[in-house]
Amino acid sequence: MGKEEVHEVLDAIVVGAGFNGLYQLHHLRKNGFSAQVFEAGADIGGTWYWNCYPGARVDTHVPNYEYSFGELWKDWTWSELFPGWQELRRYFKYVDEKLDLRKDINFNTRVTRATFDTVADHWVIQTDSGDQFRARYFIVCTGLSSKPYTPDFRGLDTFQGECHHTGLWPQQGLGFAGKRVGVIGTGPTGVQIAQEAAKDAVHLTIFQRTPMLAIPMRQRKLDPTTLNELKKDYARQYRQRDEEFRQIVDIFPPEKGTFEVSAQERQAIYEESWAIGGFHFWGNMLNDVLADLAANREAYNFWRDQTRARINDPAVALKLAPTEPPHPFGTKRPSLEQNYYEVFNQSNVTLVDTVEDPIIEITKSGVVTDQGEHQLDLLVIATGFDAVTGGLTQIDIRNTDGVSLKDYWAEGVRNHLGMTTAGFPNMFMLYGPLSPAGLGTAPVCAELQGNWIINCLLHLRDNKLSRIEATDAAEDVWVQHMQDIAATTLFPLADSWYMGANIPGKARQMLNHPSLLEYMARCNHSAENGYEGFMLS
């Protein structure tokens, strides 16, 4: 048991000091609420504190990946269209200095347990040091990717070289020069790290189970003059984002379907989106790509042919860009790459298809597959995360009946509006399951969901209410809504973290709402109707 608490009862305790947690802290304080943030890392930044592997960078271009209030963006200058982790850390330091956030953040402090005191209507929060704190509201901002996942590879603990998961990379850094490097996994982190390792590793071996359908990033430098010119339109873009609920301000909902245009026009649309780069080829092409298999196949065929043209060896090209799609295009989050496919033209790079040549075990000196052993000095585990839910369920959060959130969600996530859960009063989740988190960007969700929560707390305070809790009936409606909306898409056809399918034993369901516009309309409808779907007392 923890120590007797001697702390004041706070209005709010926030878990996590990434985009969501910092936004909440700033606006809670701004509105007169007492608040403290608990952060497991040694600094702010959330995922950009933990993910510091070579090549780590955001896949959403500026100005989408920053806060929208003018006191921050007017004086900040990015050096690249898609910033790397070092620049994002500098951005967070700048935000901290501007908003004076650090004084209310407890670093190196992991929340381990949270229970609700039904008599006092307070959350009792316990940390890994044994300290206890009390707060009226418990706001969990653990993000999408705070629980790294490592498969149960036989012999992994016997490997005598260096071995690191990308999400737990050494803070002091680690290079590849002169080393035989192995990368297990070809998701976005695997793609990013492979591009860097290929530059100076003696040899790089990439172990691929499922081909990554990566699309060109089209990275470019931003000098101050160029950025200042772009900033002239920032205010309009941010208004558009707030009013029209756009995840990415310059990606517009397509008006036409794949077969509503001629083959020639379709090809031109593909080529234009491909040339722009970023997520335009994913979200700004034709409106049925993620809903109709025949339309999706047309997009895949274009992607496949464009990609194969960059790979010299036809056999390798077949593995990286198969004739038949491994899953519908875009139903796993595409990685944005800069030279990933050219890497496989280098003599120091080997691709191992673990479907044809499966990993048998890991030894003290490397990785043994069915066809032999690959000697390694450094093994990189790029196998992703227990995404969306893992950051929440790794904390022992108990409802009013003493049931843990992990057990409550054992057969599938249940919540209301992707932010609240029945039986867990006064608890809010940002960037969490059954919200648009994984199909959006952290700053956008931080502001739109964050504003909804702040307004909710103001409503409770103004009306002298001490408790808010989602109803079971509202959860039933929201879960059904997510099932219905998933059925209109191709997402359920892929074994992705969008569906919880990357973690053994995890319930399979659509974890991310695909429409920010519809999502916010439902959230706002609830608020405008006296917080419909909630019990207030």
PDB file of all heavy atoms in Angstrom, residues 200-216:
ATOM      1  N   ASP A 200      25.467   3.440 -43.021  1.00  0.00           N
ATOM      2  CA  ASP A 200      26.834   3.165 -42.565  1.00  0.00           C
ATOM      3  C   ASP A 200      27.008   1.842 -41.818  1.00  0.00           C
ATOM      4  O   ASP A 200      28.079   1.572 -41.291  1.00  0.00           O
ATOM      5  CB  ASP A 200      27.358   4.320 -41.694  1.00  0.00           C
ATOM      6  CG  ASP A 200      26.425   4.686 -40.557  1.00  0.00           C
ATOM      7  OD1 ASP A 200      25.487   3.917 -40.290  1.00  0.00           O
ATOM      8  OD2 ASP A 200      26.664   5.734 -39.931  1.00  0.00           O
ATOM      9  N   ALA A 201      25.989   1.008 -41.771  1.00  0.00           N
ATOM     10  CA  ALA A 201      26.169  -0.319 -41.184  1.00  0.00           C
ATOM     11  C   ALA A 201      27.035  -1.172 -42.104  1.00  0.00           C
ATOM     12  O   ALA A 201      26.973  -1.046 -43.330  1.00  0.00           O
ATOM     13  CB  ALA A 201      24.818  -0.994 -40.979  1.00  0.00           C
ATOM     14  N   VAL A 202      27.853  -2.036 -41.509  1.00  0.00           N
ATOM     15  CA  VAL A 202      28.620  -2.994 -42.316  1.00  0.00           C
ATOM     16  C   VAL A 202      27.647  -3.845 -43.116  1.00  0.00           C
ATOM     17  O   VAL A 202      27.843  -4.081 -44.314  1.00  0.00           O
ATOM     18  CB  VAL A 202      29.501  -3.873 -41.408  1.00  0.00           C
ATOM     19  CG1 VAL A 202      30.087  -5.044 -42.204  1.00  0.00           C
ATOM     20  CG2 VAL A 202      30.616  -3.050 -40.795  1.00  0.00           C
ATOM     21  N   HIS A 203      26.606  -4.296 -42.435  1.00  0.00           N
ATOM     22  CA  HIS A 203      25.540  -5.015 -43.124  1.00  0.00           C
ATOM     23  C   HIS A 203      24.236  -4.804 -42.375  1.00  0.00           C
ATOM     24  O   HIS A 203      24.215  -4.715 -41.146  1.00  0.00           O
ATOM     25  CB  HIS A 203      25.829  -6.513 -43.231  1.00  0.00           C
ATOM     26  CG  HIS A 203      24.964  -7.191 -44.261  1.00  0.00           C
ATOM     27  ND1 HIS A 203      25.295  -7.216 -45.604  1.00  0.00           N
ATOM     28  CD2 HIS A 203      23.768  -7.825 -44.162  1.00  0.00           C
ATOM     29  CE1 HIS A 203      24.347  -7.839 -46.276  1.00  0.00           C
ATOM     30  NE2 HIS A 203      23.409  -8.218 -45.425  1.00  0.00           N
ATOM     31  N   LEU A 204      23.158  -4.695 -43.121  1.00  0.00           N
ATOM     32  CA  LEU A 204      21.831  -4.512 -42.548  1.00  0.00           C
ATOM     33  C   LEU A 204      20.939  -5.646 -43.038  1.00  0.00           C
ATOM     34  O   LEU A 204      20.795  -5.857 -44.240  1.00  0.00           O
ATOM     35  CB  LEU A 204      21.239  -3.166 -42.990  1.00  0.00           C
ATOM     36  CG  LEU A 204      19.754  -2.931 -42.672  1.00  0.00           C
ATOM     37  CD1 LEU A 204      19.505  -2.933 -41.173  1.00  0.00           C
ATOM     38  CD2 LEU A 204      19.273  -1.621 -43.307  1.00  0.00           C
ATOM     39  N   THR A 205      20.347  -6.354 -42.089  1.00  0.00           N
ATOM     40  CA  THR A 205      19.398  -7.419 -42.412  1.00  0.00           C
ATOM     41  C   THR A 205      18.023  -6.990 -41.921  1.00  0.00           C
ATOM     42  O   THR A 205      17.841  -6.698 -40.736  1.00  0.00           O
ATOM     43  CB  THR A 205      19.790  -8.744 -41.747  1.00  0.00           C
ATOM     44  OG1 THR A 205      21.138  -9.074 -42.127  1.00  0.00           O
ATOM     45  CG2 THR A 205      18.864  -9.866 -42.187  1.00  0.00           C
ATOM     46  N   ILE A 206      17.066  -6.942 -42.839  1.00  0.00           N
ATOM     47  CA  ILE A 206      15.704  -6.514 -42.508  1.00  0.00           C
ATOM     48  C   ILE A 206      14.796  -7.732 -42.552  1.00  0.00           C
ATOM     49  O   ILE A 206      14.674  -8.392 -43.597  1.00  0.00           O
ATOM     50  CB  ILE A 206      15.218  -5.428 -43.475  1.00  0.00           C
ATOM     51  CG1 ILE A 206      16.131  -4.201 -43.385  1.00  0.00           C
ATOM     52  CG2 ILE A 206      13.769  -5.054 -43.191  1.00  0.00           C
ATOM     53  CD1 ILE A 206      15.861  -3.143 -44.440  1.00  0.00           C
ATOM     54  N   PHE A 207      14.182  -8.031 -41.414  1.00  0.00           N
ATOM     55  CA  PHE A 207      13.291  -9.183 -41.307  1.00  0.00           C
ATOM     56  C   PHE A 207      11.857  -8.699 -41.500  1.00  0.00           C
ATOM     57  O   PHE A 207      11.304  -7.983 -40.665  1.00  0.00           O
ATOM     58  CB  PHE A 207      13.461  -9.856 -39.946  1.00  0.00           C
ATOM     59  CG  PHE A 207      14.857 -10.402 -39.699  1.00  0.00           C
ATOM     60  CD1 PHE A 207      15.838  -9.598 -39.130  1.00  0.00           C
ATOM     61  CD2 PHE A 207      15.172 -11.701 -40.044  1.00  0.00           C
ATOM     62  CE1 PHE A 207      17.121 -10.092 -38.899  1.00  0.00           C
ATOM     63  CE2 PHE A 207      16.450 -12.208 -39.827  1.00  0.00           C
ATOM     64  CZ  PHE A 207      17.427 -11.390 -39.248  1.00  0.00           C
ATOM     65  N   GLN A 208      11.247  -9.105 -42.599  1.00  0.00           N
ATOM     66  CA  GLN A 208       9.911  -8.639 -42.968  1.00  0.00           C
ATOM     67  C   GLN A 208       8.899  -9.769 -42.896  1.00  0.00           C
ATOM     68  O   GLN A 208       9.083 -10.814 -43.525  1.00  0.00           O
ATOM     69  CB  GLN A 208       9.927  -8.077 -44.395  1.00  0.00           C
ATOM     70  CG  GLN A 208       8.533  -7.798 -44.974  1.00  0.00           C
ATOM     71  CD  GLN A 208       8.567  -7.423 -46.438  1.00  0.00           C
ATOM     72  OE1 GLN A 208       8.902  -6.294 -46.786  1.00  0.00           O
ATOM     73  NE2 GLN A 208       8.234  -8.379 -47.313  1.00  0.00           N
ATOM     74  N   ARG A 209       7.820  -9.549 -42.127  1.00  0.00           N
ATOM     75  CA  ARG A 209       6.696 -10.487 -42.150  1.00  0.00           C
ATOM     76  C   ARG A 209       5.647 -10.039 -43.163  1.00  0.00           C
ATOM     77  O   ARG A 209       5.237 -10.802 -44.033  1.00  0.00           O
ATOM     78  CB  ARG A 209       6.069 -10.606 -40.761  1.00  0.00           C
ATOM     79  CG  ARG A 209       4.898 -11.587 -40.698  1.00  0.00           C
ATOM     80  CD  ARG A 209       4.276 -11.630 -39.319  1.00  0.00           C
ATOM     81  NE  ARG A 209       3.721 -10.331 -38.927  1.00  0.00           N
ATOM     82  CZ  ARG A 209       3.124 -10.101 -37.764  1.00  0.00           C
ATOM     83  NH1 ARG A 209       3.026 -11.077 -36.869  1.00  0.00           N
ATOM     84  NH2 ARG A 209       2.652  -8.905 -37.486  1.00  0.00           N
ATOM     85  N   THR A 210       5.242  -8.765 -43.071  1.00  0.00           N
ATOM     86  CA  THR A 210       4.247  -8.207 -43.979  1.00  0.00           C
ATOM     87  C   THR A 210       4.850  -6.997 -44.679  1.00  0.00           C
ATOM     88  O   THR A 210       5.414  -6.124 -44.009  1.00  0.00           O
ATOM     89  CB  THR A 210       2.981  -7.770 -43.216  1.00  0.00           C
ATOM     90  OG1 THR A 210       2.490  -8.870 -42.451  1.00  0.00           O
ATOM     91  CG2 THR A 210       1.902  -7.287 -44.173  1.00  0.00           C
ATOM     92  N   PRO A 211       4.767  -6.906 -45.989  1.00  0.00           N
ATOM     93  CA  PRO A 211       5.320  -5.738 -46.676  1.00  0.00           C
ATOM     94  C   PRO A 211       4.649  -4.449 -46.189  1.00  0.00           C
ATOM     95  O   PRO A 211       3.436  -4.402 -45.978  1.00  0.00           O
ATOM     96  CB  PRO A 211       4.987  -5.989 -48.148  1.00  0.00           C
ATOM     97  CG  PRO A 211       4.739  -7.457 -48.255  1.00  0.00           C
ATOM     98  CD  PRO A 211       4.170  -7.877 -46.941  1.00  0.00           C
ATOM     99  N   MET A 212       5.462  -3.415 -46.007  1.00  0.00           N
ATOM    100  CA  MET A 212       4.928  -2.102 -45.675  1.00  0.00           C
ATOM    101  C   MET A 212       4.599  -1.378 -46.973  1.00  0.00           C
ATOM    102  O   MET A 212       5.466  -1.210 -47.838  1.00  0.00           O
ATOM    103  CB  MET A 212       5.960  -1.303 -44.875  1.00  0.00           C
ATOM    104  CG  MET A 212       5.676   0.196 -44.777  1.00  0.00           C
ATOM    105  SD  MET A 212       4.039   0.658 -44.202  1.00  0.00           S
ATOM    106  CE  MET A 212       4.120   0.224 -42.481  1.00  0.00           C
ATOM    107  N   LEU A 213       3.356  -0.945 -47.110  1.00  0.00           N
ATOM    108  CA  LEU A 213       2.946  -0.221 -48.310  1.00  0.00           C
ATOM    109  C   LEU A 213       3.244   1.264 -48.094  1.00  0.00           C
ATOM    110  O   LEU A 213       2.346   2.089 -47.895  1.00  0.00           O
ATOM    111  CB  LEU A 213       1.464  -0.461 -48.596  1.00  0.00           C
ATOM    112  CG  LEU A 213       1.007  -1.933 -48.587  1.00  0.00           C
ATOM    113  CD1 LEU A 213      -0.436  -2.046 -49.041  1.00  0.00           C
ATOM    114  CD2 LEU A 213       1.916  -2.802 -49.449  1.00  0.00           C
ATOM    115  N   ALA A 214       4.526   1.596 -48.120  1.00  0.00           N
ATOM    116  CA  ALA A 214       4.981   2.951 -47.808  1.00  0.00           C
ATOM    117  C   ALA A 214       4.818   3.870 -49.012  1.00  0.00           C
ATOM    118  O   ALA A 214       4.886   3.430 -50.168  1.00  0.00           O
ATOM    119  CB  ALA A 214       6.445   2.920 -47.373  1.00  0.00           C
ATOM    120  N   ILE A 215       4.591   5.134 -48.713  1.00  0.00           N
ATOM    121  CA  ILE A 215       4.409   6.127 -49.774  1.00  0.00           C
ATOM    122  C   ILE A 215       5.412   7.265 -49.586  1.00  0.00           C
ATOM    123  O   ILE A 215       5.899   7.497 -48.481  1.00  0.00           O
ATOM    124  CB  ILE A 215       2.966   6.666 -49.797  1.00  0.00           C
ATOM    125  CG1 ILE A 215       2.519   7.140 -48.415  1.00  0.00           C
ATOM    126  CG2 ILE A 215       2.014   5.594 -50.303  1.00  0.00           C
ATOM    127  CD1 ILE A 215       1.085   7.615 -48.342  1.00  0.00           C
ATOM    128  N   PRO A 216       5.747   7.983 -50.653  1.00  0.00           N
ATOM    129  CA  PRO A 216       6.814   8.986 -50.574  1.00  0.00           C
ATOM    130  C   PRO A 216       6.467  10.134 -49.626  1.00  0.00           C
ATOM    131  O   PRO A 216       5.364  10.681 -49.660  1.00  0.00           O
ATOM    132  CB  PRO A 216       6.925   9.505 -52.014  1.00  0.00           C
ATOM    133  CG  PRO A 216       6.344   8.424 -52.866  1.00  0.00           C
ATOM    134  CD  PRO A 216       5.258   7.814 -52.039  1.00  0.00           C
TER     135      PRO A 216
END
